[in-house]
Amino acid sequence: MLTLYGDRDSGNSYKVELVLTQLGKPHRYVVIDTLKGETRTAEFLAKNPNGRVPVLEIDDGTYLPESNAILCYLAEGSALMPTDRLERAQVLQWLFFEQYNHEPNIATARHWLRAGLLTPEREYAFAQKRLAGYAALGVMEDHLERHRFFVGERYSIADICLYAYTHVAGQGDFDLARFPAVEAWLDRVRSQPGHVAMLKD
Amino acid sequence: MLTLYGDRDSGNSYKVELVLTQLGKPHRYVVIDTLKGETRTAEFLAKNPNGRVPVLEIDDGTYLPESNAILCYLAEGSALMPTDRLERAQVLQWLFFEQYNHEPNIATARHWLRAGLLTPEREYAFAQKRLAGYAALGVMEDHLERHRFFVGERYSIADICLYAYTHVAGQGDFDLARFPAVEAWLDRVRSQPGHVAMLKD
């Protein structure tokens, strides 16, 4: 059976749980509390030397880190991953966009606010993250004004990946009301069969 | 013919050029000078609304952004991308590691130093990038002490991706002499057939 090592407040962990659930893959969830330093223990670092959740343990005992690599691994051969060569590359395009332009800004701003980590020396970086986070939401809005989903007009792991931290962006003090196409898309993602909510929303 | 829109000083552009060259794919290179704001013109934003290089223009006129998505698109079916399902996920694992843990720290530190962008208000962020960049190099060193290449003991786009900004990390004031396994791997990458150097090294 697959084992997901994750944190219940981590959107990166949630996106893996959502894919596992929607694909009907049996799994167990081992909670790793990042705020308690549980990603920095010798035991966890043996699973992922980069010290981050999520990590997927595969049946043969291999540990696979990086949420979006896990999404690709799980979705291969399912309706959540296209078969067309260009559409597959476009799914990856949005997955890399999410990890470079979206998550470090929107998820980190949310984390700093929720965990009381917005120290004075981080004020400048926080302001930069707000600008960059709003820019990322603008790129999504522009795309979703013309498309129902991110790739091929079908629900895929590109949508799941971007949903994870977009739907809780308000917790990072981002105002989603400025992005009506994004809000309509969030509703479309929520209405997919087998959708489960992120805990602590 | 494929067209690569890139900046000659960008490792993200270089990695695409290296794959195109090693796969023997004819292409033309259109220089976009990011320091002159050429990624922010209306003409360029029509190609990539996210305003970044590289972008690959495919024969049908489609524009594909995100360097690592382009690498996957180009390498599919070649020796630079494994066929085994787990190895493919491990290639993606290192590609996402590069964009999240490596590039924003090592490439950005290099860029700030080279372009005179290390303003006083960025000093704190610069110090954080140095710590995180060294941590990323440490993760690479740990892996390369036990492996010749990043995935499956064979040269792949995971190596090309990580080579791009690692081999110029010294320009970001990172001391690679602390990472002998990384230095030996850089030599192995340089010795691959069809290797071309990055301009302005």
Side-chain angles (χ1 to χ4, degrees):
Chain A
M1 184 182 292
L2 297 165
T3 302
L4 171 58
Y5 298 83
D7 182 309
R8 293 290 190 187
D9 199 48
S10 147
N12 286 327
S13 301
Y14 167 62
K15 56 173 97 149
V16 177
E17 187 183 20
L18 184 50
V19 167
L20 285 166
T21 303
Q22 291 193 309
L23 292 178
K25 289 189 187 283
H27 62 280
R28 64 184 188 116
Y29 194 117
V30 176
V31 172
I32 303 292
D33 191 328
T34 56
L35 288 178
K36 288 186 182 161
E38 292 179 4
T39 50
R40 298 290 156 179
T41 64
E43 184 186 358
F44 187 80
L45 290 169
K47 298 178 174 66
N48 180 11
N50 199 25
R52 291 170 186 273
V53 288
V55 173
L56 185 72
E57 183 180 352
I58 298 167
D59 298 345
D60 68 359
T62 301
Y63 296 101
L64 181 65
E66 294 295 335
S67 59
N68 290 353
I70 299 171
L71 259 51
C72 292
Y73 176 80
L74 291 172
E76 192 61 57
S78 82
L80 295 179
M81 176 65 112
T83 53
D84 175 75
R85 182 183 173 197
L86 179 58
E87 285 186 355
R88 292 169 67 85
Q90 288 169 332
V91 165
L92 290 173
Q93 169 199 331
W94 289 107
L95 265 52
F96 283 109
F97 165 83
E98 189 261 351
Q99 284 289 289
Y100 195 89
N101 292 101
H102 189 290
E103 202 267 13
N105 299 306
I106 295 173
T108 304
R110 169 180 177 265
H111 180 61
W112 287 358
L113 286 177
R114 281 164 75 83
L117 297 172
L118 183 50
T119 53
E121 61 196 352
R122 280 180 167 149
E123 286 286 354
Y124 178 76
F126 186 75
Q128 297 300 109
K129 286 180 187 300
R130 291 188 58 74
L131 287 173
Y134 272 120
L137 291 168
V139 169
M140 292 171 66
E141 180 76 8
D142 173 70
H143 191 77
L144 292 168
E145 281 171 352
R146 292 170 287 118
H147 301 285
R148 287 179 53 79
F149 294 105
F150 276 95
V151 179
E153 304 301 334
R154 291 185 307 279
Y155 180 64
S156 75
I157 55 171
D159 302 289
I160 290 173
C161 166
L162 281 161
Y163 178 82
Y165 284 110
T166 303
H167 88 291
V168 291
Q171 296 173 354
D173 205 22
F174 289 94
D175 178 14
L176 288 180
R178 299 188 202 173
F179 304 97
V182 169
E183 289 202 316
W185 163 80
L186 288 174
D187 284 339
R188 284 194 289 279
V189 172
R190 276 189 207 101
S191 70
Q192 294 298 310
H195 183 79
V196 287
M198 183 170 162
L199 293 181
K200 302 186 191 173
D201 272 13
Chain B
M1 184 181 292
L2 297 166
T3 302
L4 171 59
Y5 298 84
D7 183 308
R8 293 289 189 188
D9 199 49
S10 148
N12 285 327
S13 301
Y14 166 63
K15 58 173 95 151
V16 177
E17 188 183 19
L18 185 49
V19 167
L20 285 165
T21 304
Q22 292 192 309
L23 291 178
K25 289 189 186 283
H27 62 279
R28 66 187 186 114
Y29 193 118
V30 176
V31 172
I32 303 292
D33 191 327
T34 56
L35 288 177
K36 288 185 181 162
E38 291 178 4
T39 50
R40 298 290 158 179
T41 64
E43 185 187 356
F44 188 81
L45 289 170
K47 298 180 173 64
N48 180 10
N50 199 26
R52 292 170 186 274
V53 288
V55 173
L56 185 72
E57 183 179 352
I58 299 167
D59 298 345
D60 69 358
T62 301
Y63 296 101
L64 181 65
E66 296 293 335
S67 58
N68 290 353
I70 298 171
L71 259 52
C72 292
Y73 176 81
L74 292 171
E76 191 62 57
S78 82
L80 295 179
M81 176 63 113
T83 53
D84 175 76
R85 182 182 174 198
L86 179 58
E87 286 186 355
R88 292 169 66 86
Q90 288 168 334
V91 166
L92 290 173
Q93 169 199 330
W94 288 108
L95 265 52
F96 284 108
F97 166 83
E98 190 260 351
Q99 284 289 289
Y100 196 89
N101 292 100
H102 189 290
E103 202 268 13
N105 299 306
I106 295 173
T108 303
R110 169 180 177 265
H111 180 62
W112 287 358
L113 286 177
R114 280 164 76 82
L117 297 172
L118 183 50
T119 54
E121 61 196 352
R122 280 181 168 148
E123 286 287 352
Y124 178 75
F126 185 75
Q128 297 299 111
K129 285 179 187 302
R130 291 188 59 74
L131 287 173
Y134 272 119
L137 291 168
V139 169
M140 293 170 66
E141 180 76 7
D142 173 71
H143 190 78
L144 292 167
E145 281 170 353
R146 292 169 286 119
H147 300 285
R148 286 179 53 80
F149 294 104
F150 276 95
V151 179
E153 304 301 334
R154 291 185 306 279
Y155 180 65
S156 74
I157 54 172
D159 302 288
I160 291 173
C161 166
L162 281 160
Y163 178 82
Y165 284 110
T166 302
H167 87 291
V168 292
Q171 296 173 353
D173 206 22
F174 289 94
D175 179 13
L176 288 180
R178 299 188 201 173
F179 305 96
V182 169
E183 289 201 317
W185 162 81
L186 289 174
D187 284 340
R188 284 194 290 279
V189 172
R190 275 188 209 102
S191 70
Q192 294 298 310
H195 183 81
V196 288
M198 183 169 162
L199 294 182
K200 301 184 190 175
D201 271 13

